[in-house]
PDB file of all heavy atoms in Angstrom:
ATOM      1  N   THR D1470     145.227 108.210  85.911  1.00  0.00           N
ATOM      2  CA  THR D1470     144.724 107.747  87.211  1.00  0.00           C
ATOM      3  C   THR D1470     143.886 108.812  87.891  1.00  0.00           C
ATOM      4  O   THR D1470     142.820 108.537  88.450  1.00  0.00           O
ATOM      5  CB  THR D1470     145.905 107.351  88.126  1.00  0.00           C
ATOM      6  OG1 THR D1470     146.672 106.346  87.476  1.00  0.00           O
ATOM      7  CG2 THR D1470     145.394 106.817  89.462  1.00  0.00           C
ATOM      8  N   LEU D1493     120.220  95.170  88.992  1.00  0.00           N
ATOM      9  CA  LEU D1493     118.779  95.387  89.143  1.00  0.00           C
ATOM     10  C   LEU D1493     118.383  95.170  90.596  1.00  0.00           C
ATOM     11  O   LEU D1493     118.620  94.103  91.165  1.00  0.00           O
ATOM     12  CB  LEU D1493     118.007  94.410  88.246  1.00  0.00           C
ATOM     13  CG  LEU D1493     116.497  94.291  88.496  1.00  0.00           C
ATOM     14  CD1 LEU D1493     115.789  95.609  88.177  1.00  0.00           C
ATOM     15  CD2 LEU D1493     115.905  93.143  87.678  1.00  0.00           C
ATOM     16  N   GLN D1506     105.216  82.911  94.371  1.00  0.00           N
ATOM     17  CA  GLN D1506     106.463  82.142  94.422  1.00  0.00           C
ATOM     18  C   GLN D1506     106.962  81.831  93.012  1.00  0.00           C
ATOM     19  O   GLN D1506     108.170  81.904  92.747  1.00  0.00           O
ATOM     20  CB  GLN D1506     106.237  80.865  95.229  1.00  0.00           C
ATOM     21  CG  GLN D1506     105.958  81.128  96.706  1.00  0.00           C
ATOM     22  CD  GLN D1506     105.271  79.982  97.409  1.00  0.00           C
ATOM     23  OE1 GLN D1506     105.387  78.829  97.004  1.00  0.00           O
ATOM     24  NE2 GLN D1506     104.538  80.288  98.467  1.00  0.00           N
ATOM     25  N   ARG D1540     114.678 102.592  98.828  1.00  0.00           N
ATOM     26  CA  ARG D1540     115.651 103.614  99.238  1.00  0.00           C
ATOM     27  C   ARG D1540     117.051 103.017  99.385  1.00  0.00           C
ATOM     28  O   ARG D1540     118.043 103.677  99.077  1.00  0.00           O
ATOM     29  CB  ARG D1540     115.184 104.267 100.536  1.00  0.00           C
ATOM     30  CG  ARG D1540     114.033 105.241 100.302  1.00  0.00           C
ATOM     31  CD  ARG D1540     113.630 105.991 101.534  1.00  0.00           C
ATOM     32  NE  ARG D1540     112.726 107.075 101.176  1.00  0.00           N
ATOM     33  CZ  ARG D1540     111.622 107.398 101.846  1.00  0.00           C
ATOM     34  NH1 ARG D1540     111.288 106.728 102.937  1.00  0.00           N
ATOM     35  NH2 ARG D1540     110.854 108.391 101.425  1.00  0.00           N
ATOM     36  N   VAL D1549     118.842  99.879  87.725  1.00  0.00           N
ATOM     37  CA  VAL D1549     117.389  99.896  87.541  1.00  0.00           C
ATOM     38  C   VAL D1549     116.742  99.384  88.824  1.00  0.00           C
ATOM     39  O   VAL D1549     117.278  98.490  89.484  1.00  0.00           O
ATOM     40  CB  VAL D1549     116.944  99.004  86.356  1.00  0.00           C
ATOM     41  CG1 VAL D1549     115.423  99.091  86.156  1.00  0.00           C
ATOM     42  CG2 VAL D1549     117.663  99.390  85.076  1.00  0.00           C
ATOM     43  N   VAL D1581     100.466 101.492  90.161  1.00  0.00           N
ATOM     44  CA  VAL D1581     100.372 102.500  91.221  1.00  0.00           C
ATOM     45  C   VAL D1581      99.556 103.682  90.690  1.00  0.00           C
ATOM     46  O   VAL D1581      99.334 103.808  89.484  1.00  0.00           O
ATOM     47  CB  VAL D1581     101.768 102.982  91.675  1.00  0.00           C
ATOM     48  CG1 VAL D1581     102.577 101.839  92.250  1.00  0.00           C
ATOM     49  CG2 VAL D1581     102.526 103.650  90.526  1.00  0.00           C
ATOM     50  N   GLY D1638      86.142  94.822  87.234  1.00  0.00           N
ATOM     51  CA  GLY D1638      85.795  94.094  86.015  1.00  0.00           C
ATOM     52  C   GLY D1638      84.644  93.128  86.222  1.00  0.00           C
ATOM     53  O   GLY D1638      83.751  93.009  85.375  1.00  0.00           O
ATOM     54  N   GLU D1641      81.409  95.041  86.576  1.00  0.00           N
ATOM     55  CA  GLU D1641      81.033  95.644  85.285  1.00  0.00           C
ATOM     56  C   GLU D1641      80.150  94.691  84.487  1.00  0.00           C
ATOM     57  O   GLU D1641      79.149  95.098  83.885  1.00  0.00           O
ATOM     58  CB  GLU D1641      82.300  95.981  84.506  1.00  0.00           C
ATOM     59  CG  GLU D1641      82.081  96.596  83.148  1.00  0.00           C
ATOM     60  CD  GLU D1641      83.384  96.814  82.411  1.00  0.00           C
ATOM     61  OE1 GLU D1641      84.281  97.475  82.981  1.00  0.00           O
ATOM     62  OE2 GLU D1641      83.518  96.329  81.272  1.00  0.00           O
ATOM     63  N   MET D1668      85.897  82.742 104.532  1.00  0.00           N
ATOM     64  CA  MET D1668      84.727  81.892 104.274  1.00  0.00           C
ATOM     65  C   MET D1668      84.148  81.342 105.568  1.00  0.00           C
ATOM     66  O   MET D1668      82.921  81.241 105.718  1.00  0.00           O
ATOM     67  CB  MET D1668      85.106  80.755 103.319  1.00  0.00           C
ATOM     68  CG  MET D1668      83.929  79.867 102.931  1.00  0.00           C
ATOM     69  SD  MET D1668      82.510  80.771 102.245  1.00  0.00           S
ATOM     70  CE  MET D1668      83.146  81.226 100.644  1.00  0.00           C
ATOM     71  N   GLU D1676      74.960  83.326 106.367  1.00  0.00           N
ATOM     72  CA  GLU D1676      74.674  83.757 104.992  1.00  0.00           C
ATOM     73  C   GLU D1676      74.232  82.551 104.156  1.00  0.00           C
ATOM     74  O   GLU D1676      74.984  81.618 103.938  1.00  0.00           O
ATOM     75  CB  GLU D1676      75.910  84.385 104.372  1.00  0.00           C
ATOM     76  CG  GLU D1676      75.692  84.930 102.976  1.00  0.00           C
ATOM     77  CD  GLU D1676      74.757  86.118 102.950  1.00  0.00           C
ATOM     78  OE1 GLU D1676      75.068  87.133 103.593  1.00  0.00           O
ATOM     79  OE2 GLU D1676      73.709  86.010 102.291  1.00  0.00           O
ATOM     80  N   LYS D1727      86.223  70.140  92.679  1.00  0.00           N
ATOM     81  CA  LYS D1727      85.967  71.078  93.778  1.00  0.00           C
ATOM     82  C   LYS D1727      86.051  72.537  93.353  1.00  0.00           C
ATOM     83  O   LYS D1727      85.543  73.424  94.039  1.00  0.00           O
ATOM     84  CB  LYS D1727      86.960  70.813  94.913  1.00  0.00           C
ATOM     85  CG  LYS D1727      86.832  69.419  95.515  1.00  0.00           C
ATOM     86  CD  LYS D1727      87.833  69.196  96.636  1.00  0.00           C
ATOM     87  CE  LYS D1727      87.689  67.813  97.224  1.00  0.00           C
ATOM     88  NZ  LYS D1727      88.601  67.590  98.372  1.00  0.00           N
ATOM     89  N   GLU D1763      98.052  86.845  75.908  1.00  0.00           N
ATOM     90  CA  GLU D1763      96.648  86.459  76.108  1.00  0.00           C
ATOM     91  C   GLU D1763      96.539  85.348  77.145  1.00  0.00           C
ATOM     92  O   GLU D1763      97.288  84.374  77.124  1.00  0.00           O
ATOM     93  CB  GLU D1763      96.042  85.979  74.779  1.00  0.00           C
ATOM     94  CG  GLU D1763      94.593  85.556  74.854  1.00  0.00           C
ATOM     95  CD  GLU D1763      93.644  86.711  75.138  1.00  0.00           C
ATOM     96  OE1 GLU D1763      94.018  87.859  74.863  1.00  0.00           O
ATOM     97  OE2 GLU D1763      92.539  86.450  75.623  1.00  0.00           O
TER      98      GLU D1763
END
Side-chain angles (χ1 to χ4, degrees):
T1470 303
L1493 167 65
Q1506 293 160 26
R1540 285 185 169 137
V1549 182
V1581 298
E1641 179 184 305
M1668 183 54 72
E1676 183 67 60
K1727 298 180 180 183
E1763 180 67 23

